[in-house]
Amino acid sequence: MWTHKAWQGRLLAHPLPAHERLRHYAAWCTAVEGNTTFYATPARQTVASWAEQTGPGFRFVLKLPRVVTHERRLTDVDEALGVFLDAIEPLGPRADALWIQLPGSFAPADVPVLARFLRRLPTTHRYAVEVRHPAFFDDPRATRLLEGVLVDADAEWIPFDTTAFFGNRPTSDAERDAWMKKPRLPRRSVALTDRPVVRYLGRDDAARTVEGWQHWVDVVAGWLREGRSPTMFVHTPDNADAPVLARRFHDEVRARLPELAALPEPLPVEPATLF
């Protein structure tokens, strides 16, 4: 997302060479979703550039390639997974969690496949799983089955909260597009590990986005009080103001927990002048 056109020249300096864009994003937010890794494994040299542009505390939550999760459904994936793990090695501890997003057709009957897959993964990384089959949310037995497998593997369950988004009919092209593509599932706010990850989708109307995340302000503040270290991702359908909203969410949590560290100061958008 650090190359998002809506941010260039408004939130991030523009133009910027490719090897500077992430550095400017990292002054707004201290974590990023690696969604593009789902479509193609990046070159190791590219990943090394990401490490150079970010501090040691910056968090990448990188999605496993679709050949692993969607095409081969976690079976016979050693080669593709090995290529991916080698490519992201330059990130070191910045690779905070590897994100296993499973297709909506991945059902409770497939959980044994996930269990075998998790058992074979190297312990050098943390793992977080996102499921989209309704039974995992509606059927208590399916919920317990998945939770048990994840707890055994010390893996997290990533909730993708779209409840605020689907609370009202879409009013923009971006919202109409998201309305057709995003999963409509019950909200889940249970942490299984000390490093929970949350994905939240609001609206292009900032007021509705803020109204919809109040639940998460309570939850995240509670996790922090428990000694957990959550990562929260804030999205809107057009993502035009996502970094601003993410910082606002952090401010709301920090108002309850003043000891929470402040975010870094964004880098100037305009070049410095003498006057």
Side-chain angles (χ1 to χ4, degrees), residues 206-222 224-225 244-258 260 263:
R208 288 187 176 178
T209 297
V210 171
E211 179 184 7
W213 77 32
Q214 293 307 309
H215 167 83
W216 289 110
V217 173
D218 293 336
V219 170
V220 169
L224 288 164
R225 291 189 186 101
V244 178
L245 289 165
R247 292 177 70 90
R248 181 170 175 179
F249 180 87
H250 184 274
D251 287 343
E252 290 197 16
V253 175
R254 195 166 180 241
R256 303 190 184 191
L257 295 170
L260 182 64
L263 292 172

Side-chain angles (χ1 to χ4, degrees), residues 83-151:
V83 170
F84 175 76
L85 293 175
D86 179 71
I88 67 169
E89 191 273 335
L91 291 178
R94 293 173 181 82
D96 186 62
L98 301 189
W99 170 17
I100 306 167
Q101 186 186 81
L102 297 171
S105 60
F106 197 94
D110 300 306
V111 169
V113 176
L114 174 63
R116 289 192 294 271
F117 177 74
L118 291 172
R119 284 195 296 267
R120 298 185 61 190
L121 291 174
T123 58
T124 49
H125 291 284
R126 296 175 54 253
Y127 302 96
V129 176
E130 180 185 339
V131 291
R132 296 187 170 186
H133 193 286
F136 290 117
F137 302 85
D138 299 335
D139 182 347
R141 292 173 299 178
T143 302
R144 290 193 297 269
L145 175 65
L146 179 57
E147 286 182 339
V149 165
L150 296 176
V151 168

